[in-house]
Amino acid sequence: MKSVVFMGTPQFAVPILQALIDSPDYDVLAVVTQPDRRVGRKHRLTASPVKEAALASGVDVLQPEKINNSPEMARIIEMKPDLMITAAFGQFLPTKLLAAAQIAAINVHASLLPKYRGGAPVHYAVINGDRETGVSIMYMVKKMDAGDIIAQKKVPITKQDDTGSMFNKLSLLGRDLLMETLPHLINGDVHPVEQDSAKVSFSPNISSKQERIDYTMTADRIDDKVRGLRPFPIGNMIVDGLRTKIYDVTPLDEKTGMTPGKVVRVEKHALVLAAGEGTVYQINKLKPAGKPLMDITAYLNGHQNLTEGFQAITDDEH
């Protein structure tokens, strides 16, 4: 039985942690996760999904605000775990801590490295319209997501997928790939591959500015961005002068001569809009500021001014 210190925070990491806990081959000494954060309108102090999973299994939880030179770091070093495994932990690990792993310190990362190093690889893959992504297991080094790759596995991205569904797929893929790879790693039967520096790209955390959807893009690109920002943080446009979160759109197989943002037509259950390069799409679900999430039929009942040729989407709010 090999000892493990696991580090992770969001739901993505939970199936990976649970597989380690459930396996007779590994002893999870401790789980390290981000401190509880205040969430939602009521600012309730909320534990991370990884913390909840660890506590449910009776595993010790450590929550340093910053792990570098913390008491928690000293405690992990004293443990001398055979393996240090991270999955979306959210902090850099100092070299001194990485060196405490007796066999290896490795990371499960949700991209096909060297593509999309950083904190939001799944979002970027969907937003950019990629047809596939995957999981990489790599050695951890001080530089972000730059270690040699031990194993990789691909998975397709369909036009029905969003960031939420891809998180679920990649989490399970990461779990299975890790459990398949660990015995080979422990036995020294792996062949790490150095990352090609010429192919490196980055996926920093999504900023509030990136949440705005450019209505002059093509309908397909708008759809990619809507799905890439769903279920969080949700993209937005200025629709009828009000900042509006856009939850679901459908690109249509037709063309228009209208400029982007104009209403192509209004039907009882459809608002059809012009996008870039003469493409067309319809909005299906949206949430104007201060209003509930609604389907387009309910929305149109309160926006009788949205008629053919009207500039429905603009750059500025009222």
Side-chain angles (χ1 to χ4, degrees):
M1 182 178 284
K2 299 299 181 182
S3 61
V4 176
V5 168
F6 182 84
M7 302 182 185
T9 298
Q11 181 61 37
F12 169 81
V14 171
I16 300 167
L17 168 61
Q18 199 63 53
L20 292 165
I21 291 172
D22 293 343
S23 172
D25 299 325
Y26 307 102
D27 177 21
V28 181
L29 303 177
V31 165
V32 189
T33 190
Q34 298 280 23
D36 296 1
R37 304 295 187 196
R38 297 198 178 277
V39 174
R41 290 184 177 181
K42 295 185 178 179
H43 301 287
R44 287 180 178 167
L45 201 60
T46 304
S48 74
V50 162
K51 178 181 179 179
E52 292 180 348
L55 293 178
S57 296
V59 179
D60 285 345
V61 175
L62 308 177
Q63 294 181 274
E65 189 68 49
K66 289 187 178 180
I67 197 163
N68 193 20
N69 294 323
S70 66
E72 291 87 353
M73 174 174 157
R75 184 174 166 191
I76 295 165
I77 291 172
E78 287 177 8
M79 290 178 187
K80 295 183 178 178
D82 293 314
L83 298 161
M84 201 174 297
I85 300 172
T86 69
F89 174 46
Q91 293 189 37
F92 282 107
L93 304 187
T95 303
K96 184 178 180 181
L97 178 58
L98 297 177
Q102 304 300 292
I103 296 175
I106 61 174
N107 180 40
V108 183
H109 184 74
S111 84
L112 296 172
L113 292 169
K115 193 173 188 178
Y116 300 140
R117 293 180 183 178
V122 184
H123 288 85
Y124 280 74
V126 181
I127 288 169
N128 290 338
D130 293 358
R131 293 186 177 182
E132 66 178 11
T133 185
V135 170
S136 302
I137 296 176
M138 63 179 175
Y139 285 112
M140 279 193 284
V141 295
K142 191 172 183 181
K143 190 175 180 182
M144 182 178 65
D145 299 330
D148 290 354
I149 298 167
I150 302 165
Q152 275 189 338
K153 208 160 205 177
K154 297 178 180 179
V155 65
I157 303 173
T158 73
K159 286 295 185 181
Q160 286 69 51
D161 281 311
D162 60 12
T163 288
S165 68
M166 291 311 301
F167 261 112
N168 293 338
K169 291 180 183 181
L170 291 166
S171 177
L172 299 179
L173 185 68
R175 175 198 65 188
D176 295 346
L177 185 59
L178 176 69
M179 301 309 287
E180 176 187 310
T181 302
L182 280 176
H184 300 288
L185 177 68
I186 292 164
N187 293 332
D189 183 26
V190 292
H191 306 282
V193 176
E194 184 177 351
Q195 294 189 38
D196 185 346
S197 59
K199 296 181 179 179
V200 170
S201 63
F202 294 93
S203 58
N205 290 334
I206 302 294
S207 67
S208 57
K209 185 178 180 181
Q210 287 174 292
E211 293 171 23
R212 178 66 69 85
I213 299 167
D214 179 0
Y215 66 91
T216 68
M217 296 190 298
T218 65
D220 280 332
R221 297 290 292 115
I222 289 172
D223 177 45
D224 289 338
K225 188 151 188 182
V226 169
R227 291 183 295 104
L229 295 173
R230 188 179 70 214
F232 60 91
I234 301 296
N236 65 78
M237 293 176 168
I238 307 301
V239 184
D240 201 12
L242 195 64
R243 186 179 296 270
T244 302
K245 291 185 175 182
I246 308 296
Y247 281 77
D248 186 58
V249 303
T250 302
L252 301 178
D253 188 19
E254 58 184 87
K255 289 286 187 175
T256 182
M258 291 187 181
T259 55
K262 284 194 172 182
V263 176
V264 175
R265 65 179 180 276
V266 179
E267 301 167 0
K268 187 175 181 181
H269 303 295
L271 173 63
V272 179
L273 298 164
E277 299 179 20
T279 59
V280 172
Y281 67 103
Q282 64 185 38
I283 297 179
N284 303 315
K285 291 183 181 179
L286 69 175
K287 183 187 180 304
K291 302 285 182 67
L293 174 64
M294 60 185 80
D295 63 25
I296 198 63
T297 305
Y299 178 81
L300 289 172
N301 286 337
H303 293 77
Q304 304 294 331
N305 60 314
L306 295 180
T307 55
E308 184 177 334
F310 181 78
Q311 188 70 37
I313 302 181
T314 57
D315 291 316
D316 301 315
E317 299 177 66
H318 284 322

